[in-house]
Amino acid sequence: DFTESSNYSEYDLVYQRMEWSVDPAIKYIAGSVTSYFKSLVEELNEIEFDLNSEMIVDSVKQKDARLDYTHSNNKLLISLENALTKDKVDSVQVYYKGEPDKKNEEIFSVTYHSGVPVLWTLSEPYGAMEWWPCKQSLIDKIDSIDVIVTCPDAYKTASNGILVSDVVESGLRKMHWKHRYPIVTYLVAIAVTNYADYSDTLRFDDGRTMPILNYVYPEYLAKAKIESPNTAKVMKIF
């Protein structure tokens, strides 16, 4: 029953950086989402995102300036400090927190495997707004994203793209995933637990290779290593 806002046509998402803190034992998320966007109209003075009204918005900033906003009926409407002319690019940063929608456990799920907590998201097609402020559009893909997740150091975060850093400090693990291809909002995802990880290798006919990084439950590791090379065969076809 979700309808995309007519205001979506006023701007184009260029880039988003998600910085989240989670614990797979607790159904809760806190952090910020920075969105770079290009104006598609002659005078853009506000920008609209989708976000469940039960989530708590702490503040919205444009560079160092705090912005006025309203958050109701699952819409976050932000007043820009200065109106943007057509093709001008700018950014806003939304700080927020809360417990994602309890009515649909499959969108932001906290459960267990072999007694170990696991958190995972599944937003297709219109579930992203339940756990992060987004332009929930099937038309305007995000050009590129960075996903940076902090969790207790016993766990690892799997997400979109390529893992560029994995830092453990003071009992916490921060993992940074970089994705540099257009991506629709509902495909942005995280999964957090005590993953075992290993790589298979996709070998192209021209000699190039590409690693396929697998994150699996430790109790399935032996079986996964037998079966996951089939993924490389499928990827080679694509």
Side-chain angles (χ1 to χ4, degrees), residues 160-222:
N160 305 89
I162 296 172
L163 180 63
V164 294
S165 67
D166 180 357
V167 178
V168 175
E169 186 176 2
S170 302
L172 296 173
R173 181 187 300 271
K174 179 184 286 189
M175 300 183 69
H176 177 183
W177 293 84
K178 178 180 71 173
H179 182 82
R180 292 297 181 265
Y181 297 90
I183 182 171
V184 73
T185 301
Y186 70 70
L187 287 179
V188 175
I190 58 173
V192 186
T193 191
N194 65 330
Y195 284 118
D197 62 88
Y198 67 95
S199 290
D200 292 316
T201 301
L202 170 57
R203 302 185 185 280
F204 296 96
D205 293 337
D206 61 6
R208 291 179 299 133
T209 62
M210 184 179 77
I212 299 176
L213 178 57
N214 303 287
Y215 274 42
V216 301
Y217 295 159
E219 61 269 28
Y220 297 152
L221 181 59

Side-chain angles (χ1 to χ4, degrees), residues 10 39-44 83-87:
E10 296 184 349
S39 174
L40 300 179
V41 294
E42 295 300 332
E43 186 174 356
L44 182 68
L84 299 183
T85 56
K86 190 174 182 180
D87 295 328

Side-chain angles (χ1 to χ4, degrees), residues 71-106:
H71 184 206
S72 61
N73 298 318
N74 299 331
K75 295 290 185 181
L76 177 61
L77 190 61
I78 301 167
S79 299
L80 300 178
E81 186 177 26
N82 298 296
L84 299 183
T85 56
K86 190 174 182 180
D87 295 328
K88 176 78 172 180
V89 175
D90 213 323
S91 66
V92 295
Q93 189 169 20
V94 178
Y95 295 85
Y96 77 107
K97 60 190 175 186
E99 180 180 349
D101 187 13
K102 308 179 190 70
K103 299 175 185 177
N104 191 334
E105 294 295 328
E106 291 188 353

Side-chain angles (χ1 to χ4, degrees), residues 7 14 49 52 59 75 110 116 123 136 162 188 219 226 229:
N7 293 339
V14 177
F49 293 109
N52 191 306
S59 63
K75 295 290 185 181
V110 172
V116 180
S123 300
Q136 194 158 256
I162 296 172
V188 175
E219 61 269 28
I226 295 172

Side-chain angles (χ1 to χ4, degrees), residues 19-178:
E19 299 176 79
W20 291 314
S21 292
V22 297
D23 183 330
I26 304 171
K27 188 166 184 173
Y28 187 85
I29 189 169
S32 67
V33 175
T34 302
S35 302
Y36 283 74
F37 52 91
K38 181 173 69 173
S39 174
L40 300 179
V41 294
E42 295 300 332
E43 186 174 356
L44 182 68
N45 51 33
E46 59 185 17
I47 187 166
E48 180 180 306
F49 293 109
D50 299 293
L51 180 64
N52 191 306
S53 297
E54 295 184 6
M55 301 298 284
I56 301 167
V57 177
D58 291 322
S59 63
V60 180
K61 290 184 177 181
Q62 187 174 16
K63 300 181 175 66
D64 293 327
R66 282 180 172 262
L67 301 181
D68 293 328
Y69 63 89
T70 59
H71 184 206
S72 61
N73 298 318
N74 299 331
K75 295 290 185 181
L76 177 61
L77 190 61
I78 301 167
S79 299
L80 300 178
E81 186 177 26
N82 298 296
L84 299 183
T85 56
K86 190 174 182 180
D87 295 328
K88 176 78 172 180
V89 175
D90 213 323
S91 66
V92 295
Q93 189 169 20
V94 178
Y95 295 85
Y96 77 107
K97 60 190 175 186
E99 180 180 349
D101 187 13
K102 308 179 190 70
K103 299 175 185 177
N104 191 334
E105 294 295 328
E106 291 188 353
I107 291 174
F108 189 97
S109 179
V110 172
T111 183
Y112 292 87
H113 68 94
S114 297
V116 180
V118 54
L119 179 158
W120 51 268
T121 66
L122 181 62
S123 300
E124 184 177 0
Y126 288 121
M129 60 171 281
E130 304 296 343
W131 60 284
W132 64 282
C134 59
K135 182 181 183 180
Q136 194 158 256
S137 172
L138 304 184
I139 299 170
D140 182 10
K141 292 184 178 182
I142 314 161
D143 292 353
S144 66
I145 63 171
D146 282 280
V147 179
I148 303 166
V149 181
T150 300
C151 66
D153 64 4
Y155 310 112
K156 295 179 180 180
T157 299
S159 190
N160 305 89
I162 296 172
L163 180 63
V164 294
S165 67
D166 180 357
V167 178
V168 175
E169 186 176 2
S170 302
L172 296 173
R173 181 187 300 271
K174 179 184 286 189
M175 300 183 69
H176 177 183
W177 293 84
K178 178 180 71 173

